[in-house]
Amino acid sequence: MDKDVNKLVNRLEEEFQNFKKDLKETTNLKELEKLKVNYLGKKSLITTTLKNIGSLPNDLKPVVGKNTNIYRKKIQASLDQKVEFFESLEFDKKLRKEKIDLSLPGKKPELGSKNIITQVIEEIEEIFIGMGFKIAEGPEVELDYYNFEALNTPEDHPARSLHDTFFISDDVLLRTHTSPMQVRYMEKYQPPINIIVPGKVYRRDYDVSHTPMFTQIEGLVVDKDINFKHLKWTLETVARKIFGRDRRVRFRPHYFPFTEPSAEMDVSCKICDGKGCRVCSGSGWLEILGAGMVDPNVYKFVGYDPDEFTGFAFGIGIERICMLKYGINDLRAFFENDMRFIRQF
Ligand code: DAH
């Protein structure tokens, strides 16, 4: 019996020595897993010995069990130790990989600048505020009623076709101009009124001088005894503040459904001083806005008495002002966000 036990202990010791040798050669957790299968797995010496204890004579059972378990525990303990070692190595590696080098130079955030359209809107707003105007804003998704109907432009009016409207439904659209805010404002407030309304407007158009979205500033002045001289003085003054004191202005008769009489205003060309050049197509003048005395029909829609109040209105195209002020000849440049263009302003 002693001989059998000795033989087994020798074999277990030999197995353990082999295990230690193999263990030394493992370099990662995966290899360690393989080692565990070899020495403690189903087919390993340790496991098969323990499994077969039942078939041994009774007096051998406890000694074999005890010795085998001693080696099983020794192997398991060595494996555990090594697992811990490899795990800490991997953790170190991960930490090193995720380490932030605080000494590296930072990335400088690129500073943007205000779009030139915004700059010009703000400049014009300042001019009007200086003259006692208030700023009002209205919705870009608008009712047909405000965009056309109440501006004296009924369903079958030919002026509608000039607007190339984006319709959302039969009676909802993207506003084609800032003029609807005239009606909205007069519905809500009584004269005296002096407001400007900056904002985006939309038309189905796209070429060098048209984009589907562009910007306008609407103006409205209503009070007792307002006449065309007030209109003329106000717009002349503003034009000279925008383009310079030497600019001359002129008014040409025009037609708008919601003003009567109506006019377009030109400023003398800055490039040729009115002599005629390429920029002004040889005419010496550049058109910058539409204006007129508010049509009495519009007052009827908002419940004002046309015998009591008179007023004037105007609409300025902002992109056009920018193009003239800075000599830009393609309208689309404003919206394409080319950094080389934007950086100039
Ligand atoms: N709403 C006109 C347009 O977009 C511009 C305009 C003309 C506005 C005359 C006015 C005005 O207020 O009186 O073409």
Side-chain angles (χ1 to χ4, degrees), residues 177 179 182 203 216 218 256 258-259 290-292 313-315:
H177 50 176
S179 306
Q182 290 187 29
R203 291 187 200 178
Q216 291 186 334
E218 190 76 14
F256 296 106
F258 39 91
T259 45
F314 55 90

Side-chain angles (χ1 to χ4, degrees), residues 38-39 70 110 165 170 185 188 225 233 264 290 299 319:
N38 286 347
Y39 288 92
I70 288 172
E110 280 224 33
T165 312
D170 276 351
Y185 201 87
K188 216 167 154 190
D225 301 323
W233 179 84
E264 279 189 331
Y299 292 140
E319 283 77 6

Side-chain angles (χ1 to χ4, degrees), residues 124 128 215-217 234-244 247-252 256 263-270 285-291 314-325:
I124 297 177
F128 278 105
T215 323
Q216 291 186 334
I217 292 185
T234 306
L235 296 178
E236 255 178 44
T237 308
V238 171
R240 293 214 176 97
K241 287 202 171 153
I242 298 173
F243 291 105
R247 297 299 92 216
R248 280 161 292 132
V249 302
R250 73 173 186 190
F251 288 83
R252 279 178 293 101
F256 296 106
E264 279 189 331
M265 188 177 95
D266 301 337
V267 284
S268 59
C269 180
K270 192 174 171 174
W285 296 93
L286 296 158
E287 179 242 313
I288 62 161
L289 59 86
F314 55 90
I316 308 175
I318 300 306
E319 283 77 6
R320 184 143 179 88
I321 305 265
C322 287
M323 288 167 91
L324 298 176
K325 225 173 127 104

